[in-house]
Amino acid sequence: MKMKILLPNEVFAEEEEVSKLNGEAENGAFCLLEHHVDFVATLVPGLLSFVSDGKESFVAVDAGTVVKRGFEVLISVKNAVRGGELGSLKQTVEEQFLRLDDRERKVRSVLSKLEADLARSFLEMEEHG
């Protein structure tokens, strides 16, 4: 199978000969082989493992979507980290994804404040109308 992992701003990984792909969806773990039926699932944050040229590789992914159509698998995720050794990959994921989560929380907080200020401004305009 041909596999592509897509991030919002780039093609993260592209493999021409993947014989097996394992991952975890919202409804449980799955395994895709090239002759399996077409498949669509929503991924949960976790690990994808795949076998290419007889070698198993691991990619940690954030939430996303996987679509298998024929001999092509497209995986679209928000964030991804590739690693060889699971121990070091776990540490890298914790560092990178936690940092992103913290930034996202701060951005959401700022946006909430902006929305509240905007709503308050509209109410004041109506009162002075």
Side-chain angles (χ1 to χ4, degrees), residues 20-34:
K20 181 179 178 181
L21 171 69
N22 292 306
E24 189 173 349
E26 288 181 337
N27 58 348
F30 63 88
C31 173
L32 294 176
L33 302 173
E34 59 182 40

Side-chain angles (χ1 to χ4, degrees), residues 31-100:
C31 173
L32 294 176
L33 302 173
E34 59 182 40
H35 293 293
H36 281 174
V37 297
D38 292 351
F39 177 82
V40 176
T42 301
L43 295 172
V44 296
L47 285 178
L48 291 177
S49 68
F50 60 92
V51 177
S52 181
D53 296 325
K55 181 183 170 199
E56 187 172 30
S57 299
F58 299 94
V59 177
V61 295
D62 207 341
T65 305
V66 61
V67 177
K68 178 191 181 295
R69 184 170 173 227
F71 293 104
E72 183 176 45
V73 178
L74 296 175
I75 301 164
S76 178
V77 292
K78 196 166 140 184
N79 300 302
V81 177
R82 191 172 193 157
E85 197 176 306
L86 286 178
S88 63
L89 181 60
K90 181 179 185 257
Q91 181 180 355
T92 303
V93 167
E94 286 174 350
E95 291 170 0
Q96 289 190 7
F97 286 8
L98 289 176
R99 207 176 22 221
L100 286 172

